[in-house]
Amino acid sequence: MNTYLFVYDLMQFCGHSWIFTNMIIRFMSFGKDSLADTFYSIGLVMRLCQLLSTLEILHIFIGIDKSRLFPRFLQITERIIVLFVVINSQEEVQGKNVVCILFFLWNSLDVVRYTYNMLARTGIYYLPLTWLNFSLCILLYPLSVLAKAFAICVSLPYFESFGTYSIKIPFPFAFSIYFPYVLKMYLLVLFIGMYFTIQNLFSERKAHLGTGNTKQKRS
């Protein structure tokens, strides 16, 4: 199982490193013009990485990963919903700058996290990397939630105009689901979930750094 988890972390590291490097090179080469087509350039690899990350819920459920299930479930589902339901379904949103910002925040977190995880699988604990892994997420995760919320707000006019995912069930049920209302309610869920996730991030940081014990593993 440790070998399997190492291979999983390696695959995620390679994917996110490719995305992160691609974004940096494109920005250095084309400047602000690179922001508009970020999704078209790296969206496929990003979607593959996020789909693959759903395995982490299974890892925790079957006991090979000792992370807490609920906070990890929240983080993964937030990304899946924003990426696949909001961004992928609205072409007009894909060219917005917030997509580039969101991808940059996600990959900054994941490149560090999967690097730390890979080394931890082999019993290597590097103090600066451990500190960065459990500190960077506390700063960047709230920023990523704000970016997700902004992406949802930007998408609302398009969901209202095109009626994407809105459903109207005919008589005798006479029931309808107006998807922009669902997204507005999800904004509340997003910020409530952030509270629980940040609590977990602080507890993880305390467990690994607060007592000076850097040899515990974060899965």
Side-chain angles (χ1 to χ4, degrees):
M1 281 299 136
N2 198 52
T3 301
Y4 160 75
L5 290 174
F6 178 86
V7 172
Y8 168 81
D9 291 330
L10 177 61
M11 291 174 63
Q12 287 282 29
F13 171 78
C14 291
H16 288 289
S17 295
W18 182 88
I19 295 171
F20 191 79
T21 304
N22 188 289
M23 292 181 67
I24 296 297
I25 292 175
R26 285 175 51 78
F27 184 77
M28 293 176 64
S29 301
F30 305 109
K32 293 183 179 179
D33 293 338
S34 67
L35 303 182
D37 63 347
T38 295
F39 184 84
Y40 305 102
S41 302
I42 62 177
L44 176 61
V45 180
M46 176 62 80
R47 280 173 282 178
L48 290 174
C49 287
Q50 297 309 317
L51 283 175
L52 189 62
S53 71
T54 58
L55 288 175
E56 295 178 26
I57 298 174
L58 178 62
H59 297 166
I60 298 172
F61 187 76
I62 63 178
I64 62 175
D65 187 330
K66 302 305 179 184
S67 300
R68 294 178 61 189
L69 177 60
F70 184 60
R72 194 74 195 117
F73 174 81
L74 286 176
Q75 292 179 66
I76 292 172
T77 53
E78 286 169 9
R79 293 189 182 192
I80 293 294
I81 291 172
V82 172
L83 180 58
F84 287 92
V85 178
V86 175
I87 298 174
N88 191 61
S89 67
Q90 299 297 334
E91 188 173 350
E92 292 77 7
V93 178
Q94 295 169 10
K96 302 294 184 182
N97 290 348
V98 67
V99 174
C100 182
I101 295 171
L102 192 56
F103 283 8
F104 181 81
L105 292 171
W106 285 353
N107 284 280
S108 298
L109 289 168
D110 288 338
V111 167
V112 173
R113 185 165 73 93
Y114 289 114
T115 301
Y116 172 83
N117 283 351
M118 280 194 301
L119 294 177
R121 308 291 182 201
T122 61
I124 300 173
Y125 299 90
Y126 185 50
L127 181 57
L129 179 61
T130 303
W131 183 89
L132 186 64
N133 182 54
F134 292 103
S135 301
L136 187 66
C137 55
I138 294 175
L139 173 64
L140 296 189
Y141 174 71
L143 294 178
S144 74
V145 171
L146 291 176
K148 293 169 196 170
F150 187 76
I152 291 174
C153 291
V154 167
S155 73
L156 286 175
Y158 303 107
F159 280 104
E160 292 170 354
S161 299
F162 302 134
T164 311
Y165 300 134
S166 294
I167 301 173
K168 187 173 183 179
I169 300 176
F171 184 84
F173 300 102
F175 179 75
S176 62
I177 297 176
Y178 187 56
F179 196 69
Y181 289 162
V182 176
L183 287 179
K184 290 175 182 178
M185 288 187 291
Y186 182 69
L187 284 172
L188 179 61
V189 175
L190 194 64
F191 285 104
I192 293 174
M194 181 179 70
Y195 170 77
F196 291 105
T197 301
I198 290 177
Q199 275 193 326
N200 182 67
L201 293 176
F202 271 107
S203 66
E204 283 189 340
R205 188 180 190 279
K206 183 178 180 180
H208 290 79
L209 298 174
T211 61
N213 182 8
T214 62
K215 292 193 175 183
Q216 296 182 42
K217 179 174 63 177
R218 180 192 181 190
S219 299

